[in-house]
Amino acid sequence: MVLAGQAHAACDTKDRIKHEDAECLTAEWDNDIGIWSIVDVAAKNECSDLGTVVAKVDRKACPDYTWHLTGSNTMERNGTWCDVRHVYCCSDLSDLCNRSDLSNDD
């Protein structure tokens, strides 16, 4: 049985905004090439004063990371062996991906 709340916490493909299209998320990664490659990935909430940004780190052949970025610190992961495909802002889980996502209702 799946609870209704669980069904909404997915960050499905349709809910993913590339980090370069999300002004509230910056990300970078390095997929070194070679047998001893170590992948480094980092993401930061650039709108931490306005809310939480949820980042999906899409990794090849490994489970993805889902990071809830609440503050202005950079979240990073070093020493993984799986290449990063991309980093996305999850529009269904984040308070905002772009400043325009906030409503003007007070």
Side-chain angles (χ1 to χ4, degrees):
M1 176 163 27
V2 176
L3 299 175
Q6 291 174 324
H8 295 291
C11 194
D12 290 326
T13 305
K14 66 179 177 52
D15 297 314
R16 295 180 185 186
I17 299 171
K18 290 182 177 183
H19 79 278
E20 39 300 47
D21 296 329
E23 67 182 301
C24 293
L25 176 65
T26 55
E28 60 184 356
W29 61 92
D30 183 13
N31 293 328
D32 291 336
I33 297 182
I35 192 165
W36 299 109
S37 68
I38 295 177
V39 176
D40 298 325
V41 60
K44 182 178 179 182
N45 179 348
E46 298 293 346
C47 301
S48 60
D49 56 325
L50 300 174
T52 299
V53 169
V54 179
K56 174 69 78 174
V57 179
D58 182 8
R59 302 190 314 151
K60 182 178 181 182
C62 288
D64 295 340
Y65 300 137
T66 303
W67 292 340
H68 293 256
L69 307 172
T70 57
S72 61
N73 293 333
T74 300
M75 173 78 79
E76 51 186 47
R77 189 76 182 252
N78 301 318
T80 69
W81 297 98
C82 298
D83 284 350
V84 173
R85 285 188 187 117
H86 212 83
V87 179
Y88 300 93
C89 183
C90 300
S91 64
D92 61 332
L93 301 177
S94 299
D95 291 332
L96 71 165
C97 290
N98 290 293
R99 293 180 187 279
S100 62
D101 296 338
L102 293 177
S103 93
N104 291 329
D105 300 335
D106 287 331

